[in-house]
Amino acid sequence: MSRLLFTILTFLFLLITAPTTVLADDNNNNNNADAVRVQITKPSLAGEPVTGDHKYRSMVTLYIEQDDGSRKPSGWSTRVEDGAKIDQPFEFQPGVNLIQGWSEGVLQMKVGERALLHVPAKKGYGGRPMGRPGGAFYIPPNSDLMFDIEILEKAREPEL
């Protein structure tokens, strides 16, 4: 009996901790090329779902996603291990001054999760370049983006 229980618990652990992918496409048109993909790399079993009603604190690194799925650093990160001078959480509210793909992606996450958000250019910056070549960061026009994001917590509301 204990061997069976061990096998079941091991299977459940592997199932829970395995990376998962969710498609977020608000048009429900099943065109996966235009859908934001959310690949959970660190699940949160107890975290609350992210909503558009709150601000959140996160650690983020932005990559340019190549056609072959590889990633190239953009030069923008809030993590020291990815090039930031200091760890500096990024505060955001879904749907407020963000690209469409970011909001669609984080709304599929929970507080405490870490994920790769695969954002097609159409839901990113489109044909507009961001930054400048040789500058602190640069995103060429029509770039697919990949955000490595961890939702740390809800941001504290300012005290009145």
Side-chain angles (χ1 to χ4, degrees):
M1 180 67 160
S2 65
R3 187 173 181 182
L4 177 61
L5 181 61
F6 176 77
T7 303
I8 291 170
L9 290 174
T10 301
F11 173 75
L12 289 174
F13 174 78
L14 293 173
L15 182 65
I16 290 169
T17 60
T20 57
T21 301
V22 176
L23 293 178
D25 185 5
D26 59 353
N27 296 324
N28 294 321
N29 62 11
N30 295 325
N31 185 353
N32 289 346
D34 292 338
V36 174
R37 289 184 301 119
V38 180
Q39 182 182 359
I40 305 296
T41 58
K42 182 186 119 190
S44 172
L45 300 177
E48 295 178 31
V50 173
T51 71
D53 298 330
H54 301 284
K55 287 186 177 183
Y56 297 88
R57 291 170 37 90
S58 63
M59 297 301 284
V60 187
T61 302
L62 172 59
Y63 298 95
I64 308 303
E65 190 163 23
Q66 307 298 311
D67 290 338
D68 65 0
S70 64
R71 58 189 184 193
K72 180 176 120 185
S74 71
W76 184 78
S77 180
T78 65
R79 296 181 178 104
V80 168
E81 71 254 24
D82 292 327
K85 291 187 187 330
I86 60 169
D87 281 336
Q88 181 70 41
F90 176 71
E91 199 168 291
F92 70 93
Q93 182 172 350
V96 179
N97 298 322
L98 297 168
I99 60 171
Q100 180 183 358
W102 174 292
S103 293
E104 286 182 21
V106 296
L107 288 171
Q108 301 300 313
M109 295 179 66
K110 296 178 184 175
V111 174
E113 284 184 330
R114 186 169 181 172
L116 298 176
L117 304 184
H118 303 269
V119 178
K122 177 179 173 180
K123 293 188 177 181
Y125 296 105
R128 298 173 310 197
M130 296 300 291
R132 60 183 172 79
F137 77 98
Y138 179 61
I139 302 168
N142 301 309
S143 292
D144 292 335
L145 308 174
M146 180 192 303
F147 293 93
D148 177 351
I149 179 170
E150 182 174 9
I151 309 292
L152 302 173
E153 63 188 356
K154 278 185 187 175
R156 289 177 178 60
E157 297 295 326
E159 294 184 28
L160 301 175

